[in-house]
């Protein structure tokens, strides 16, 4: 009896152990499956978000690369282009509060997907005017157009021109005036960029929060770093795409390219700016597709299930059996949060380190945004480079230098275990040396191109002051010319003339780009100014020293970009460490809002206004009115464009210095 009971007990205990082992095995296998599904889901989301960051960065950088093209296509000044560029920030600010508040309650992946659709719609809208404005009309004398009729550039008497040619010219002008209302279609570009800003709003806050909620805690920082790294690659491809499209004529596929008499080196050249927006729009749609199929929630990792900390979204999720109790608690919390808003704001603005960092960042971003927006234009006008080459250089050299600088800043912080005070010093040092490097750019410019009547006299001897009155000279006094035309030719004496008529040319040979003008009374060499000479279509190249100066500029520009970027990561760490933990999200929100309102919107506008003041020759619209600038004063442009950056850097360094002193006093 005792033996049988012992056997039964042993049998029962063995079965119990087997059951426990099987149940534990099942729980382990289910846990591993859950972990695999969790990791798989978050990695799919990570891949989709990384591609989306690439798409939005490509679209934004492509807009920067087409600033000059948009200005010429719509005949608008740089200040108006600055407003168009700033409309993105306006669109972002319109809904950022709503997205930040309601985003955690709703289906975050689908909100991001909807944002992608809006962003792609805005990108397509930017390209729409190209298909409704008609063909691009640049200023060109009829003799440079493929024609069997030979017309003298210097019209001493209108009776010299055949009646059919005059009637045809007048018909073209009147047709252009009927379509002149189409020039206001730049508004669609502004609205499209506004939509881009609205669509891009949920990507960063909701996407990063989703990763932080469902990734394993030790992997979250790595995942976010991967997303930010891919975001840096986007601008490289954006500027390279801008370089490719700038080489293609604006109406490619709609006109015979052999009939185009200007080249991509001409100030009137407009590339296929619209083509890149169609490509960027398609990429944005493709990037948004995966988010419509991702779940609202992913299974949380085991390490986070029992964690006391919870995401903002989990605070809105209530259990069914405690709905009433949780609802009451939530109302109390919302009331407490509303009451705590003003004290939190006061606490934040009472933090001297945070305020100093905020002021320094606003000043620095004013300089940075203005420089990034108009850097392609500055290189084109200062060094005589084409839009295609400029965008290629920025995308392939400058952007990687910025990425390497950001990475180096974080690596230095980690390798040398730099604390908050050391990070502030590193940020100050990078800004200070970047300021010194910017000073050297004053000496790395090119002289003004020799343009008769604008920068030099018709004898090529003295600088012009009141240029509009000096466009006419004795050598072209017998010609019926207009000072509003811009169809430059290059004389064999190396001087550019605004038009063949103002150069006093009596005859021409050839057609299109191969046109050669003869008997030009104003194109006399310095040795024999009275002797008539020839000229070819297009402006003359800048001085012989300009290519060398451009090379020096590139080297200093790359070093400056790297130096300034090294201080980016330490500065951001300082921002996170100088405030209380429960105020971090609020502080980052205020920081982003201040940067966009006080730097992102105004900087492109006042930089554009400053650039407009350096214009020497404005283009004219077909029905009257001022168009886009054709020629800038290189010396004034260098001072107006670099001086604000130096002033902003100097003030930012002063704020950095005060911040370090304050940090020492506090720590």
């Amino acid at each position: 009896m005792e033996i049988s009971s012992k056997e039964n007990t042993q049998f029962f205990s063995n079965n119990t152990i087997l059951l426990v082992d099987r149940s534990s095995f099942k729980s382990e296998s289910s846990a591993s499956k859950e972990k695999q599904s969790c990791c798989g889901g978050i990695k799919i989301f990570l891949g989709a978000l990384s591609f989306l960051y690439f798409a939005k960065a490509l679209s934004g950088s492509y807009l920067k690369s087409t600033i000059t093209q948009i200005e010429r296509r719509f005949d608008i000044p740089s200040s108006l282009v600055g407003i168009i560029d700033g409309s993105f920030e306006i669109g972002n600010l319109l809904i950022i509060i709503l997205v930040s508040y309601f985003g955690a309650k709703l289906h975050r992946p689908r909100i991001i997907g909807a944002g992608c659709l809006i962003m792609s719609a805005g990108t397509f809208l930017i390209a729409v005017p190209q298909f409704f404005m008609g063909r691009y009309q640049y200023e060109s004398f009829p003799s440079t157009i493929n024609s069997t009729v030979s017309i003298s550039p210097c019209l001493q008497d209108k009776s010299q021109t055949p009646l059919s040619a005059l009637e045809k010219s007048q018909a073209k002008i009147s047709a252009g005036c009927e379509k002149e209302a189409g020039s206001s279609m730049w508004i669609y570009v502004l609205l499209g960029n506004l939509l881009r800003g609205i669509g891009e709003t949920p990507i960063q806050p909701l996407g990063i929060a989703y990763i932080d909620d469902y990734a394993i805690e030790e992997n979250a920082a790595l995942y976010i770093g991967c997303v930010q790294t891919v975001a840096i690659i986007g601008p490289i491809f954006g500027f390279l795409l801008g370089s490719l499209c700038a080489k293609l004529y604006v109406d490619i596929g709609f006109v015979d390219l052999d009939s185009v008499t200007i080249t991509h080196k001409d100030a009137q050249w407009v590339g296929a700016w619209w083509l890149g927006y169609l490509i960027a729009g398609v990429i944005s749609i493709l990037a948004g597709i995966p988010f419509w199929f991702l779940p609202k929630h992913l299974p949380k990792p085991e390490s986070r299930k029992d964690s006391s900390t919870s995401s903002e979204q989990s605070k809105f999720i209530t259990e069914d059996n405690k709905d009433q109790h949780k609802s009451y608690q939530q109302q109390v919390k919302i009331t407490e949060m509303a009451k705590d808003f003003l004290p939190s704001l006061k606490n934040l603005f009472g933090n001297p380190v945070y305020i100093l960092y905020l002021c320094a960042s606003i000043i620095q971003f004013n300089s940075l945004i203005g420089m990034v927006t108009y850097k392609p234009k500055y290189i084109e006008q200062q060094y005589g480079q084409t839009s295609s080459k400029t965008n290629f250089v920025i995308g392939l050299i400058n952007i990687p230098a910025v990425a390497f600088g950001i990475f180096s800043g974080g690596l230095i912080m980690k390798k040398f275990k730099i604390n908050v005070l050391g990070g502030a010093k590193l940020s100050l040092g990078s800004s200070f040396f970047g300021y010194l490097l910017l000073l050297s750019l004053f000496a790395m410019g090119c002289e003004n191109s020799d343009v008769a009547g604008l920068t030099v006299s018709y004898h090529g001897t003295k600088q012009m002051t009141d240029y509009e009155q000096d466009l006419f000279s004795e050598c072209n006094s017998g010609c019926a010319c207009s000072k509003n035309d811009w169809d430059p030719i290059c004389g064999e004496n190396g001087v550019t003339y605004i038009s063949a008529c103002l150069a006093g040319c009596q005859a021409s040979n050839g057609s299109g780009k191969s046109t050669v003008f003869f008997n030009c009374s104003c194109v006399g060499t310095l040795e024999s100014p009275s002797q008539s000479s020839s000229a070819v279509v297009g402006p003359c190249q800048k001085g012989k020293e300009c290519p060398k100066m451009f090379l020096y500029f590139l080297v200093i520009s790359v070093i400056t970009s790297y130096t300034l970027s090294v201080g980016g990561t330490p500065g951001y760490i300082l921002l996170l460490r100088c405030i209380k933990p429960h105020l971090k999200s609020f502080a980052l929100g205020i920081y982003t809002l201040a940067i966009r309102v006080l730097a992102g919107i105004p900087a492109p506008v006042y930089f554009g206004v400053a650039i407009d003041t350096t214009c020497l020759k404005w283009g004219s619209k077909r029905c009257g009115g001022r168009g886009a600038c054709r020629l800038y004063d290189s010396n004034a442009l260098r001072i107006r464009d670099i001086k604000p950056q130096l002033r902003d850097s100097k003030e930012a360094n002063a704020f950095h210095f005060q911040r370090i002193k304050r940090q020492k006093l506090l720590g």
Side-chain angles (χ1 to χ4, degrees), residues 11-310:
F11 176 77
F12 178 75
S13 62
N14 289 337
N15 285 342
T16 305
I17 291 169
L18 287 172
L19 288 171
V20 170
D21 288 339
R22 286 175 183 173
S23 63
S24 63
F25 175 76
K26 286 180 180 178
S27 63
E28 285 178 4
S29 82
S30 64
S32 64
K33 285 181 181 178
E34 187 179 349
K35 185 177 180 181
Q36 288 177 359
S37 64
C38 169
C39 292
I42 196 63
K43 285 181 180 178
I44 292 172
F45 183 86
L46 175 65
L49 189 66
S50 298
F51 184 58
L52 179 55
Y53 261 71
F54 170 82
K56 78 181 185 71
L58 183 145
S59 177
S61 58
Y62 182 76
L63 177 69
K64 302 291 185 186
S65 73
T66 58
I67 289 293
T68 306
Q69 312 293 323
I70 291 173
E71 182 179 327
R72 293 173 183 172
R73 183 66 179 96
F74 296 96
D75 260 339
I76 54 178
S78 296
S79 55
L80 191 52
V81 173
I83 295 174
I84 292 174
D85 185 71
S87 63
F88 175 85
E89 303 291 347
I90 296 173
N92 208 292
L93 290 172
L94 287 176
I95 63 167
I96 191 169
I97 302 298
L98 295 175
V99 169
S100 299
Y101 182 75
F102 292 105
K105 299 180 180 181
L106 304 174
H107 198 300
R108 285 182 286 184
R110 288 185 182 174
I111 294 175
I112 295 173
C116 290
L117 290 179
I118 296 172
M119 188 169 64
S120 61
T123 308
F124 286 132
L125 184 61
I126 294 175
V128 161
Q130 171 64 21
F131 303 98
F132 295 97
M133 287 182 65
R135 306 283 74 85
Y136 174 56
Q137 300 289 335
Y138 52 88
E139 300 172 41
S140 180
F141 192 75
S143 63
T144 62
I145 300 174
N146 294 337
S147 175
T148 57
V149 181
S150 179
I151 304 172
S152 173
C154 180
L155 297 176
Q156 296 178 0
D157 187 357
K158 288 190 177 181
S159 61
Q160 293 181 5
T161 305
L163 185 62
S164 58
L166 281 175
E167 289 176 348
K168 187 176 180 181
S169 177
Q170 293 295 331
K172 283 186 177 181
I173 292 174
S174 62
C177 289
E178 290 175 2
K179 294 181 180 179
E180 189 68 10
S183 62
S184 62
M185 293 189 78
W186 59 265
I187 295 174
Y188 288 95
V189 180
L190 186 144
L191 292 176
N193 204 30
L194 191 77
L195 278 179
R196 278 188 60 250
I198 292 173
E200 195 174 327
T201 304
I203 296 173
Q204 182 173 354
L206 300 188
I208 298 298
Y210 196 89
I211 290 176
D212 190 55
D213 284 348
Y214 299 114
I216 299 172
E217 196 165 355
E218 56 267 22
N219 291 341
L222 176 64
Y223 290 163
I224 294 171
C226 291
V227 171
Q228 299 293 346
T229 303
V230 173
I232 296 173
I233 299 173
I236 297 176
F237 285 87
F239 277 102
L240 292 179
L241 179 62
S243 174
L244 175 64
C245 293
K247 274 188 177 180
L248 306 175
Y249 185 62
V250 60
D251 292 323
I252 186 172
F254 300 97
V255 298
D256 182 13
L257 296 181
D258 293 333
S259 64
V260 179
T261 60
I262 58 175
T263 65
H264 63 283
K265 298 179 181 179
D266 196 279
Q268 296 186 84
W269 176 268
V270 177
W273 61 276
W274 52 273
L275 185 59
Y277 289 108
L278 297 181
I279 295 172
V282 171
I283 293 174
S284 297
I285 290 177
L286 294 176
I289 291 174
F291 292 96
W292 294 98
F293 301 97
L294 288 168
K296 183 177 181 181
H297 306 293
L298 288 174
K300 285 208 169 189
E302 290 291 331
S303 59
R304 286 199 161 189
K305 283 187 176 179
D306 300 327
S307 177
S308 59
T309 58
S310 59

Side-chain angles (χ1 to χ4, degrees), residues 376-387:
K377 184 183 185 70
Y378 177 78
I379 294 176
E380 290 173 36
Q381 297 296 329
Q382 185 66 228
Y383 300 100
Q385 302 298 320
T386 64
S387 297

Side-chain angles (χ1 to χ4, degrees), residues 450-505:
D450 291 339
V451 182
L454 292 181
T455 59
V456 296
S457 69
Y458 276 87
H459 299 291
T461 53
K462 65 173 185 176
Q463 296 290 326
M464 294 288 97
T465 53
D466 192 3
Y467 60 89
E468 290 223 15
Q469 295 180 0
D470 291 303
L471 289 176
F472 300 101
S473 180
E474 292 180 4
C475 60
N476 58 27
S477 58
C479 302
C481 305
S482 171
K483 67 179 182 180
N484 295 324
D485 292 338
W486 178 263
D487 187 16
I489 62 170
C490 180
E492 64 180 37
N493 57 352
V495 176
T496 300
Y497 296 85
I498 291 178
S499 66
C501 183
L502 287 171
C505 299

Side-chain angles (χ1 to χ4, degrees), residues 363-364 367 371 426-442 556-557 559-565 642-654 656:
I363 295 169
Q364 281 186 325
S367 173
M371 179 180 66
L426 181 59
S427 181
L428 172 62
S430 69
S431 298
F432 177 74
F433 285 110
Y435 165 70
L436 292 180
L437 289 168
L438 280 174
L439 278 174
S440 63
L441 295 181
F442 273 113
I556 297 298
S557 178
I559 297 173
T560 304
S561 299
Y562 173 79
T563 305
L564 292 173
S565 301
I642 297 176
K643 196 172 182 179
Q645 298 176 39
L646 293 173
R647 185 193 63 239
D648 293 344
S649 299
K650 188 176 180 180
E651 292 175 359
N653 286 335
H656 276 304

